[in-house]
Amino acid sequence: MSKYIQDQIFKSRLTITYRTNITGTPQQEKLPYRVLVLGEFEGRSKRAAGLLPALSERNVRSIKRGATVDDHLTEIVPTWHLPKALSHLKSSLPGTVTLDRIVCTVPSGAIARKEAGKYPLTGKAHFESTPEQNGLSRVDGEILVGGTLDVKSIDDAGNLEVQGATITFSGEVAGDTIDPSTRKKVGLVTGLLRNRVVALDAVPKPEAEDSDDDDVSKGRVYVLPLTTPLKVSAERTVPFASMKDFTPDAVASSIPELQRLRVIKLMLLELQSMLRNRPELRAQIKRALASPEGLKELQKWAKDNYKVLEI
């Protein structure tokens, strides 16, 4: 079990003692020693996806007394998105996006002028990837919706004739990895939808939403009828829910391409330990190297004597 953060800090730095003369008499004052750490710990990939608020709008997280480093990491779970240089190691989580609510606000001036154009879409949606789709576990999360609605014309009543729409999705999703034999949580799977674009040629007719007079003066809100779930995929990311997740083995196990190599390596090591002291195998290999037909004889001999080699 890791130690409390307070126990890992030198005791003299927990408080600051100073002398003051504010009240007219010198006295000793003590203040708690606090450190504010600023940094781009969420990564540039989240900033590119529009998931990070401005620095002035971010919440300050406090590490409370009694909390460990692992407790804090479990709460925030920072993730790492593989860069372009490691694109050959990237994998995805196939799934579907269900639109919860998507609206388009058209300015009042544009409605009065019956002005066609592209107007922004906003809303929320839900991403879900099942174990049957990704082979791991159920991964889901709320994501943000953006994009534009291509309005062909506006009639006198303010009804829209829509030509098409471009919808963008961005968000972070996560799910627990469950061991099928023990049904216990053995890991965490995370993914990132970064400005995934879906173009819709046929869009249902949007309906105007009733709103207050103040909202009408700014624009009119149109609600798009919910469509069938859209097939998209999230890019897998490497989660860090505890300090042990920073070890090379833990990082490799979170990347499927590297994890497969680790499994193959373990299988070969086990096979090597089984066959290391087999003199009959060494004799067969020598005969195989001495004759062109020796390899076929070795394969037949191995198939009859070592079933594990059929893997």
Side-chain angles (χ1 to χ4, degrees):
M1 180 177 179
S2 58
K3 295 182 179 180
Y4 294 149
I5 293 176
Q6 288 79 8
D7 295 336
Q8 300 179 34
I9 303 175
F10 189 61
K11 295 296 182 182
S12 64
R13 295 188 179 183
L14 292 177
T15 57
I16 299 175
T17 304
Y18 67 101
R19 299 185 63 183
T20 180
N21 197 18
I22 298 177
T23 59
T25 57
Q27 59 182 4
Q28 294 269 350
E29 289 289 344
K30 289 186 177 182
L31 292 178
Y33 179 77
R34 296 179 179 177
V35 178
L36 178 63
V37 181
L38 298 177
E40 193 74 293
F41 302 115
E42 296 288 350
R44 285 173 289 184
S45 57
K46 286 189 181 181
R47 176 175 293 282
L51 300 177
L52 292 181
L55 186 61
S56 60
E57 299 175 0
R58 298 186 194 180
N59 296 326
V60 176
R61 294 182 178 269
S62 298
I63 301 179
K64 301 177 182 178
R65 179 171 293 276
T68 65
V69 176
D70 285 348
D71 293 335
H72 193 60
L73 286 174
T74 303
E75 179 184 354
I76 61 176
V77 189
T79 58
W80 176 49
H81 181 264
L82 295 180
K84 290 183 179 180
L86 300 176
S87 58
H88 57 288
L89 297 179
K90 290 184 177 182
S91 59
S92 61
L93 299 168
T96 57
V97 165
T98 303
L99 299 174
D100 296 332
R101 174 180 168 83
I102 182 168
V103 299
C104 176
T105 303
V106 181
S108 301
I111 296 177
R113 295 188 300 269
K114 302 178 182 179
E115 184 177 349
K118 295 183 178 181
Y119 298 97
L121 294 173
T122 57
K124 291 184 178 181
H126 185 83
F127 174 86
E128 181 179 6
S129 180
T130 62
E132 293 76 18
Q133 291 174 312
N134 58 51
L136 294 168
S137 62
R138 186 177 184 272
V139 180
D140 60 0
E142 300 297 327
I143 59 177
L144 300 178
V145 176
T148 56
L149 184 68
D150 191 356
V151 178
K152 186 177 181 180
S153 63
I154 305 176
D155 62 15
D156 295 336
N159 298 318
L160 306 181
E161 182 182 354
V162 178
Q163 188 171 0
T166 301
I167 302 177
T168 61
F169 304 108
S170 60
E172 212 175 13
V173 294
D176 295 331
T177 303
I178 306 298
D179 186 346
S181 59
T182 61
R183 307 305 303 172
K184 293 182 178 180
K185 177 183 174 181
V186 295
L188 183 67
V189 180
T190 56
L192 177 68
L193 280 85
R194 183 173 56 172
N195 297 333
R196 300 302 303 271
V197 180
V198 177
L200 301 179
D201 296 328
V203 180
K205 183 179 179 181
E207 299 178 357
E209 183 181 55
D210 295 334
S211 57
D212 299 333
D213 293 337
D214 292 338
D215 295 330
V216 173
S217 63
K218 298 178 181 178
R220 194 171 185 181
V221 178
Y222 295 84
V223 180
L224 273 69
L226 301 182
T227 60
T228 56
L230 303 174
K231 292 184 178 181
V232 298
S233 60
E235 299 179 23
R236 281 196 65 173
T237 55
V238 179
F240 298 95
S242 65
M243 289 300 295
K244 65 180 182 181
D245 291 338
F246 288 90
T247 62
D249 286 343
V251 173
S253 64
S254 298
I255 303 174
E257 287 72 11
L258 296 181
Q259 176 64 5
R260 282 194 286 268
L261 293 177
R262 293 179 72 241
V263 172
I264 293 174
K265 177 183 177 181
L266 293 175
M267 293 174 63
L268 291 176
L269 290 176
E270 182 178 356
L271 184 61
Q272 181 184 11
S273 64
M274 293 173 59
L275 303 179
R276 180 174 297 169
N277 297 318
R278 305 287 183 175
E280 66 274 15
L281 176 60
R282 292 199 297 268
Q284 285 293 132
I285 292 178
K286 289 180 180 179
R287 284 193 289 269
L289 296 176
S291 171
E293 299 296 327
L295 182 59
K296 293 182 179 180
E297 296 177 4
L298 174 62
Q299 290 175 339
K300 183 180 182 303
W301 177 86
K303 185 176 181 180
D304 295 336
N305 292 272
Y306 297 99
K307 297 296 183 180
V308 69
L309 292 177
E310 294 183 13
I311 295 177

